[in-house]
Amino acid sequence: MKFVRYKDKNQVFQGILEKDKIIQISGDPYSNWKKTSGVHLRSEVQLLAPILPNQIIGIGANYVASEEELPSAPVQHPVFFFKPVSSVIGPDENIVIPEQVENVKFEAELAVVIGKEIKQLQPEDPVEPYVFGYTIANDVTAPDMFHPDGHWTIGKAFDTFTPIGPVVETNLDLNKIRIEATVGGVEKQNSPTHLMIVTIEEMIRYLSHVMTLQPGDVILTGSPVGAEMVGGNIMVECTIEGIGTLRNETKVSY
């Protein structure tokens, strides 16, 4: 199923996208929801970020260009970082480049949405039951705002720096998808997920021994080779078959 959030006549709803229609739902999408009689045409409403994340956790430098470059041993200490929920925007909203930044870097990513509380997941425990679904994220970054000692927070924390959407897909075959991105219509990224250094299962297991993961937590799983700096007035399109395309245009704030 494809879960969405959307706005119609200044009211925000949750729903399930079925072809060109959205069936409105009520309740908690993570545990107890039901369809209502409300139906909206997709073309007549504004899609928002499909969820309001509880927290956003990203992983750095998690793709290689080819299978030959994959490490032979598991990564002992993956590099994770947080992004503020205030940085989230939805499809077709503008990525705003702040005054103190000349360029930003787009990073198309597969994002995992946690659906059940996870704490200290054991080796014999499967990960899949704890995943609500998957969406697309653009981990927008201002590298020139990184701290010289390697702290990334400020460079990733500006308002509008985490577009997500257009839907949360609950049934996705991770072995058959590719993360693709175009900038101004020119392809920049196109990679299968098996070129991840740290797998999604490894990320979730590792994080569950550091923090309790809650429903609505979003994990950004890394961006393939090809991400680059962009200026203002550029359309960035991030695509994953089965989820859709996340489109956001860059704008300068001055």
Side-chain angles (χ1 to χ4, degrees):
M1 286 183 288
K2 292 177 167 60
F3 283 84
V4 295
R5 286 176 62 250
Y6 61 100
K7 182 184 290 187
D8 179 58
K9 298 177 182 177
N10 293 321
Q11 286 188 285
V12 176
F13 302 95
Q14 299 178 103
I16 295 176
L17 180 63
E18 297 181 353
K19 296 183 179 179
D20 61 343
K21 294 182 179 180
I22 299 175
I23 312 301
Q24 185 182 332
I25 65 171
S26 62
D28 181 359
Y30 303 112
S31 60
N32 184 23
W33 61 271
K34 62 181 181 179
K35 292 183 178 179
T36 73
S37 59
V39 179
H40 295 85
L41 290 177
R42 163 67 185 89
S43 59
E44 295 179 351
V45 303
Q46 175 190 353
L47 287 188
L48 306 174
I51 64 164
L52 295 175
N54 182 51
Q55 62 180 344
I56 305 165
I57 308 160
I59 187 170
N62 196 39
Y63 270 82
V64 293
S66 65
E67 292 186 22
E68 291 73 23
E69 298 177 47
L70 287 168
S72 56
V75 177
Q76 296 300 311
H77 300 289
V79 177
F80 287 101
F81 56 87
F82 286 98
K83 300 194 76 170
V85 295
S86 57
S87 67
V88 171
I89 58 173
D92 301 312
E93 294 188 70
N94 291 333
I95 299 165
V96 180
I97 301 175
E99 184 175 0
Q100 61 268 51
V101 175
E102 290 188 8
N103 297 281
V104 297
K105 187 178 183 182
F106 81 91
E107 298 184 24
E109 307 199 10
L110 174 67
V112 181
V113 181
I114 300 300
K116 295 181 181 179
E117 182 179 296
I118 318 174
K119 186 174 183 178
Q120 296 184 347
L121 203 61
Q122 298 304 305
E124 65 273 15
D125 296 331
V127 167
E128 186 176 352
Y130 297 94
V131 174
F132 174 68
Y134 303 88
T135 189
I136 304 169
N138 185 350
D139 177 20
V140 182
T141 304
D144 53 343
M145 299 299 291
F146 286 176
H147 191 278
D149 290 336
H151 302 302
W152 294 357
T153 300
I154 296 300
K156 290 180 173 288
F158 289 98
D159 290 353
T160 76
F161 271 27
T162 314
I164 61 174
V167 306
V168 175
E169 172 59 66
T170 60
N171 184 23
L172 192 68
D173 187 345
L174 299 180
N175 296 315
K176 296 181 179 180
I177 65 169
R178 303 182 73 88
I179 290 80
E180 304 174 51
T182 63
V183 176
V186 179
E187 184 179 280
K188 298 295 182 179
Q189 292 181 299
N190 191 332
S191 176
T193 54
H194 70 253
L195 294 183
M196 286 184 186
I197 297 170
V198 180
T199 67
I200 291 173
E201 180 175 337
E202 290 169 338
M203 288 181 220
I204 293 174
R205 289 188 184 280
Y206 181 92
L207 288 170
S208 77
H209 287 265
V210 177
M211 66 190 79
T212 301
L213 297 172
Q214 300 283 358
D217 286 351
V218 173
I219 302 173
L220 311 183
T221 62
S223 189
V225 174
E228 63 179 34
M229 303 291 278
V230 294
N233 301 313
I234 297 291
M235 180 62 73
V236 181
E237 297 180 289
C238 307
T239 300
I240 297 176
E241 186 176 353
I243 301 176
T245 297
L246 175 65
R247 296 179 179 88
N248 301 92
E249 189 171 3
T250 61
K251 297 291 184 181
V252 294
S253 61
Y254 52 92

